[in-house]
Amino acid sequence: MSSSPELKPAESPVKPVGLDAALWDEASPEQKLLLSRISRQRARIKARASAKAQAAALRQTQTAQVDGEASLPERLVTFVRLHPIATAAAGALLMVVGPRKLIRWGSVALPWVMKLQQRSRS
């Protein structure tokens, strides 16, 4: 039993574009089927690459802004995307400071932040 799919009567391999005519004429039916599959796979890979390039170009043309109405996690994620160096520096600073000081600073800063949020909601 062969591992390649059988040629169905309705399926006849079509010569791939850009393939040498002499190679196609000398190929057996199984080889023609294989060459056709390779050609379809190459076309899929090219289409996928062009779609990725188009998506990347679209992302670059979009202006990156922080939506003021977005939730806090969404705004933080947007900030991280827009400012990766500042985020890395803040992370390094937090690692240097250590957990004890962070908890102490958080216990001081949290009531202040909550008061600011209440003022902005009113």
Side-chain angles (χ1 to χ4, degrees):
M1 187 174 243
S2 68
S3 61
S4 63
E6 297 290 325
L7 262 178
K8 296 178 182 148
E11 285 183 32
S12 61
V14 179
K15 179 182 176 242
V17 177
L19 186 68
D20 184 20
L23 178 66
W24 182 257
D25 293 337
E26 294 174 4
S28 68
E30 291 83 15
Q31 290 171 333
K32 287 181 180 182
L33 181 63
L34 181 63
L35 290 171
S36 296
R37 285 185 16 216
I38 290 171
S39 175
R40 286 192 308 268
Q41 183 179 19
R42 285 180 179 165
R44 281 194 310 269
I45 290 171
K46 283 181 184 178
R48 187 180 325 138
S50 67
K52 282 184 181 181
Q54 184 179 14
L58 185 62
R59 276 194 305 264
Q60 287 178 352
T61 59
Q62 290 177 342
T63 58
Q65 294 181 357
V66 178
D67 183 17
E69 298 297 319
S71 65
L72 181 62
E74 288 179 37
R75 287 186 285 175
L76 288 174
V77 168
T78 304
F79 180 84
V80 169
R81 286 185 186 145
L82 292 174
H83 308 289
I85 295 174
T87 305
L93 179 67
L94 292 176
M95 289 173 51
V96 168
V97 168
R100 282 187 187 165
K101 287 186 181 178
L102 286 178
I103 291 172
R104 190 170 0 151
W105 290 350
S107 65
V108 170
L110 189 60
W112 181 65
V113 169
M114 297 297 284
K115 192 182 293 185
L116 287 175
Q117 281 185 344
Q118 287 176 355
R119 283 184 191 169
S120 67
R121 289 181 187 164
S122 310

